[in-house]
Each structure stands twice: as C-alpha cells, then as structure tokens.
Amino acid sequence: MAKERDHHPNKDKKLLVGVIWNFSTELKLIFMALLVIFTLATLLPFIPSSFSLSASDFRFCISRFSPAVPVNITSTAVNVTPEKTSTEPVVLDNGVIKRTFTGHGSAAYNFVTMSAYRGGVNSFAVIGLSSKPLHVYGHPSYRCEWVPLDPTQDPVSTTGLKILTDWGYGRIYTTVVVNCTFPTISAVNSGGSLILHATTGDPSLNLTDSIPVLTESPNSVDFDLYTSPEKKKYDYLYCGSSLYGDLSPQRVREWIAYHARFFGDRSHFVLHDAGGIHGDVFEVLRPWIELGRVTVHDIRDQERFDGYYHNQFMVVNDCLHRYRFKAKWMFFFDVDEFMYVPEKETIKSVMESLEEYSQFTIEQMPMSSRICYSGDGPARTYRKWGFEKMAYRDVKKVPRRDRKYAVQPQNVFATGVHMSQNLQGKTYHKAESKIRYFHYHGSISQRREPCRHLFNDSRVVFENNPYVLDTTIRDVGLAVKMFEMRTIGDRLLRTRQ
C-alpha cells in the first residue's frame, strides 16, 4: 500500500518532460526538417518548368540528417546540341530570307467515306470528303484494289480517277468521287472487297491510308442490272439536297402531293435529313413512306465535317450512284421548287422527246413568297395552299437565273447541284418550251402564314420590283388536293404551318 501511495501520476509527467527537455535540440531539428519538406511539397506545383534542382543541391541536407549512411551522389552534365530544323530562316544569294513551314499532326482527315457502289461489271464509285487544302495545294492520289474472297483468284489494282464535283465551293472539306475502273475483273459472283488506298501526296510526309470501302458477299450482285434497261425499277427518281432548319410541314405536304401526282406511280423521292425533317415534317411524310413513294436518309452525322451547304455535293453524288441503275431519269431540284409541263404535254411525252440527251437543264420561273393574290377574298385566301395564293411572278430582267436539271443516270459519273459536268453524251439547254420549274424562294423555311401583303391586280410593283399574276401552278391546286385525298385519305388535313 505504501508503494502504491508513493507512485503518483505527477512523477510520470515530470519524467516525460525531462526526456523531452534533454532531447529538445534534436526534436527541433526534426520539426524544422518536416516543415521544410512540407513547404517544398506545397510550392513544387507552382515552380516554373525552367527551374530545376540537381542532386548536388540536396547533398548537404542529406548528409546533415543521415551521417551514418555514406551517400555518393554524382551529377552528369548532358550537353545537347540542337539540330538545325527546317523552320530556321535561310538567307538566299540575293539576300532574301527564305522561310519554311512544317506541318505537325492532322487538321483534317485524309478521306471521309460516305459510300461505295458498283458502277458496272468492272467499275466502282467511292463517294466521300477530303481535305480541301490538300487538293488545292497538294497532289493526293488514289489507288483501287479488288480483293476476291476466292483464294484462288489474285487481287487486282488500278489507278483511281478522282472527280472534284463542288467547283471550288468546298470549305474545310471538299467532295471527292473516285472512279475505280479495272481493266479486267472476274464477273464470277464470288464476292470480294474493294480497298481504296488514299495517298496524301505531301512531299515531306507522304502518307497512305488503306480503307475498306465495299464488301460483296458471294452471289449478291445482279450483273444483269448493268446491261438490261428493262430492269429499272423507276421511270423518275428525285434526288433531294440536304434539308436543314425549321421547315414548314404544310409546305412540305403541298410539295410532295404535287410531285407525286406530277411524276406518277413509277416515281420515287429520296430526301436527305440534315436536321430539317423534324417531328412535324416526318408526320407529313409518313403516309408516303408507308406507300413506298418516299425514302428518308438521316445524314445529320455529316455536320461534323465542314463542307459546303451541309455537304450537299456529297449527298447528291451518293444518291446518283446509289440509284444509278434503278431509274431511267433522275431529277435534281429543291423542295421549294415545282416542276411544270404545258397542259397539252405530260411528263412522259416530254421525257420521250429528250431521250437522245444524257442531261437537260430546266429554266426557272421565280415566284414571290411574300405577296399573295387575294382574288378569292381575304378570308378564303388564308385557307388556300401556298402555291395557290403565292401567284405573283418576278419579271425583273437579270442576266441569268439558276437552273435545275435531269439526267439519265447511267451516263453520269459524278454530278453537281445545278448540272453535271462529268457525263457521256449530249446536254440540252433549251427545254423551256417543254418543262420549267416555279421557285418559291424561302417559303419552305417559314413556319407561319406566308401572305404578308395581298393584291388583286394582274401587275404589281412591290419594293421597286415588278411582278405579274401567274396562275400556272395555282390552277392545278384543286386537282392536287383531290389526288392527295384519294391516295392517303384525310390524314394530313390538320397539318399546321
């Protein structure tokens, strides 16, 4: 008990304090070292990359705290002599300083593939995009290789013929159609793969990308399709450009009903959605899609590649080659344009009279989309279809107006927006007495009542521009409405602007 009384907690505290006091110098050094280490760790992320510490800088600190451990630290100086690069200025004999530029990395793709199709027994077409500066300032080239699936057959290759179709309209990317025509290729339907070898042609960094663009399974090709005209599925096929923006469902309804009647049952319409076929527009197209009269291609992904007008040159060339052997005639125009033939003619009789030509262009009749004819009375005017009330034609004299066109696609290798410059055969430019088109510019992109100014005169001057009343398309309005009702019923009667 006496020992227990003598053992007091205060004695332990005094002993601990004494130990700490005896070793206070060493503890201070330890705490100071920790403080320096933590400070350096905190400041290191903010030290510029040009600042460096060598191993010799820490020699004193290491030896100070670890005297029992011998440390041998040596530093080796590395002398790097920079090589002369191609970007260094060179003074020419005449005193001019020659500057050079060296590219690094990739700013645009060498080739962006959209599609590839057979163009015959021994030919193919590859459609895509490529860097515009590469084709303007460089010398890119293409080689095509056909690799049969049958191992007993040898691969064959040929030089690809590149066709630039956008006539200088390209932006970062330009449209390229590569024609691959092989001197000899087996017509045996055993399948194979088409490889496109795209070479940049850069003198300092010549790179080649080998791209599989088409694979055919055995017995998947109907070779008679390329030699038998009677196998064509359609008499007339419409190839539309890229549709974008907030399009009017009612204007699209009017356009498709008019042309489905105009071209007849053996026609088909191919539309390309670049963001313009929103939900309301698709509901207008749905009945015609269900009837097999319309096909919609979703091409919104092409927006990643900055080409002219939503890459419309690429889109129409894809349409050309996709349906090249499925239609006798192919038409290229927009969804605010309406084709017309004189009353005593039909589209069939007109096309038969132009069969000797591979292409013909179509004259434009410009219509106002801002002023309307009020001959039916203001109340009834607003219930009319767009082409019934937008009846004033612009008669201002201009040097030329844009034309649209039609082709016999089997004679065309690549195409454009207003005509093709890559075809075999003749082109006819004086078909205005046979066929014309009426252009309601801007009407398709207005989701509101188009009539802002009403007139009831045969001649009008509006904003210093002369117009005349032209009821050519207006006069067939009732027939088009009755055709729509007979064909798809009343499903679209409640369509809004």
Side-chain angles (χ1 to χ4, degrees):
M1 297 294 292
K3 290 181 180 180
E4 292 178 3
R5 284 195 297 266
D6 293 339
H7 184 72
H8 196 273
N10 290 334
K11 293 182 178 180
D12 296 336
K13 292 182 180 179
K14 291 179 180 179
L15 179 62
L16 178 61
V17 170
V19 172
I20 294 174
W21 181 259
N22 292 333
F23 294 94
S24 59
T25 302
E26 287 79 359
L27 289 174
K28 289 179 181 179
L29 290 175
I30 293 173
F31 289 141
M32 288 178 63
L34 290 175
L35 179 61
V36 171
I37 292 172
F38 291 147
T39 302
L40 288 175
T42 303
L43 296 177
L44 277 176
F46 304 98
I47 297 176
S49 58
S50 59
F51 179 82
S52 62
L53 294 175
S54 67
S56 61
D57 296 325
F58 292 99
R59 186 177 301 166
F60 171 78
C61 296
I62 295 174
S63 61
R64 176 73 174 85
F65 292 104
S66 304
V69 181
V71 178
N72 294 323
I73 299 178
T74 60
S75 61
T76 303
V78 179
N79 295 324
V80 179
T81 303
E83 296 181 1
K84 187 176 181 179
T85 64
S86 59
T87 57
E88 293 183 5
V90 176
V91 180
L92 303 180
D93 293 339
N94 60 0
V96 175
I97 299 176
K98 173 68 173 176
R99 305 301 302 273
T100 58
F101 305 88
T102 304
H104 304 279
S106 299
Y109 291 104
N110 180 14
F111 197 84
V112 179
T113 306
M114 181 176 184
S115 54
Y117 305 101
R118 262 192 184 269
V121 175
N122 66 330
S123 66
F124 300 84
V126 183
I127 300 95
L129 301 171
S130 184
S131 167
K132 179 73 175 182
L134 185 64
H135 287 266
V136 173
Y137 303 107
H139 301 281
S141 61
Y142 301 95
R143 184 170 60 86
C144 309
E145 182 181 13
W146 175 254
V147 182
L149 292 181
D150 186 352
T152 64
Q153 299 180 22
D154 295 329
V156 293
S157 64
T158 188
T159 300
L161 172 65
K162 74 171 183 179
I163 305 173
L164 304 180
T165 67
D166 62 13
W167 308 340
Y169 282 103
R171 294 164 63 87
I172 293 178
Y173 288 97
T174 187
T175 298
V176 181
V177 177
V178 181
N179 179 276
C180 303
T181 300
F182 295 91
T184 58
I185 188 172
S186 176
V188 178
N189 208 343
S190 57
S193 296
L194 179 66
I195 312 296
L196 180 68
H197 302 282
T199 301
T200 61
D202 191 318
S204 61
L205 189 64
N206 195 20
L207 301 178
T208 298
D209 293 294
S210 297
I211 311 163
V213 292
L214 178 67
T215 299
E216 293 178 347
S217 303
N219 303 314
S220 62
V221 179
D222 182 7
F223 287 104
D224 293 338
L225 185 67
Y226 308 110
T227 57
S228 304
E230 65 275 5
K231 281 200 172 262
K232 290 182 172 30
K233 185 176 181 180
Y234 308 112
D235 289 336
Y236 316 110
L237 187 131
Y238 168 79
C239 277
S241 293
S242 308
L243 295 177
Y244 67 95
D246 193 14
L247 301 185
S248 166
Q250 176 60 27
R251 300 290 89 80
V252 174
R253 173 197 178 188
E254 298 166 4
W255 183 91
I256 191 65
Y258 178 93
H259 288 98
R261 174 181 178 271
F262 178 82
F263 285 114
D265 293 337
R266 284 182 54 81
S267 64
H268 194 74
F269 301 86
V270 180
L271 305 178
H272 297 93
D273 177 19
I277 302 183
H278 51 78
D280 293 338
V281 171
F282 188 80
E283 289 306 312
V284 167
L285 297 174
R286 187 189 297 275
W288 301 100
I289 295 172
E290 293 172 354
L291 287 177
R293 299 295 303 276
V294 172
T295 298
V296 175
H297 292 254
D298 183 344
I299 60 165
R300 300 187 186 197
D301 189 48
Q302 54 76 33
E303 295 293 338
R304 298 190 295 124
F305 311 103
D306 184 22
Y308 176 74
Y309 212 83
H310 305 267
N311 290 303
Q312 69 174 143
F313 282 93
M314 177 177 65
V315 167
V316 295
N317 274 282
D318 172 81
C319 186
L320 166 71
H321 288 281
R322 187 180 186 90
Y323 299 97
R324 187 180 177 197
F325 296 96
K326 295 182 180 180
K328 188 173 182 180
W329 286 96
M330 194 172 283
F331 282 77
F332 296 86
F333 59 101
D334 294 328
V335 291
D336 58 358
E337 298 167 345
F338 288 69
M339 290 292 153
Y340 176 79
V341 297
E343 291 184 2
K344 296 182 179 180
E345 300 280 359
T346 64
I347 185 62
K348 182 179 180 180
S349 64
V350 168
M351 303 312 284
E352 287 176 348
S353 69
L354 296 169
E355 279 189 345
E356 64 178 295
Y357 300 101
S358 294
Q359 174 180 234
F360 65 88
T361 58
I362 308 169
E363 186 181 18
Q364 176 187 162
M365 298 287 108
M367 305 296 290
S368 173
S369 58
R370 299 180 59 196
I371 61 177
C372 294
Y373 177 59
S374 62
D376 304 304
R380 296 186 62 186
T381 296
Y382 288 111
R383 292 196 296 269
K384 294 286 187 180
W385 280 16
F387 63 77
E388 290 183 290
K389 51 193 174 187
M390 292 185 288
Y392 283 98
R393 176 164 55 86
D394 185 346
V395 292
K396 183 178 180 179
K397 293 186 180 297
V398 295
R400 63 175 298 276
R401 297 187 186 275
D402 287 337
R403 287 175 170 249
K404 295 303 166 70
Y405 68 105
V407 297
Q408 297 194 55
Q410 67 273 13
N411 297 331
V412 181
F413 307 111
T415 197
V417 175
H418 296 289
M419 65 178 294
S420 170
Q421 290 187 325
N422 299 276
L423 74 163
Q424 60 182 9
K426 299 184 295 182
T427 297
Y428 187 59
H429 291 294
K430 297 182 179 181
E432 53 269 16
S433 63
K434 299 175 180 291
I435 185 171
R436 294 172 291 172
Y437 77 93
F438 287 75
H439 186 196
Y440 301 84
H441 180 70
S443 61
I444 193 71
S445 59
Q446 301 179 36
R447 293 201 65 179
R448 59 173 175 78
E449 169 58 45
C451 296
R452 286 293 179 266
H453 306 275
L454 300 179
F455 296 93
N456 191 14
D457 301 302
S458 59
R459 291 184 176 273
V460 172
V461 175
F462 179 72
E463 295 183 347
N464 297 322
N465 207 69
Y467 296 88
V468 298
L469 181 65
D470 189 334
T471 62
T472 303
I473 302 296
R474 168 188 166 88
D475 293 341
V476 299
L478 179 59
V480 173
K481 293 177 181 178
M482 293 178 62
F483 168 79
E484 182 197 60
M485 184 67 69
R486 290 195 308 268
T487 308
I488 63 173
D490 60 356
R491 297 173 60 176
L492 303 180
L493 285 182
R494 297 185 180 275
T495 301
R496 302 177 65 86
Q497 297 287 348

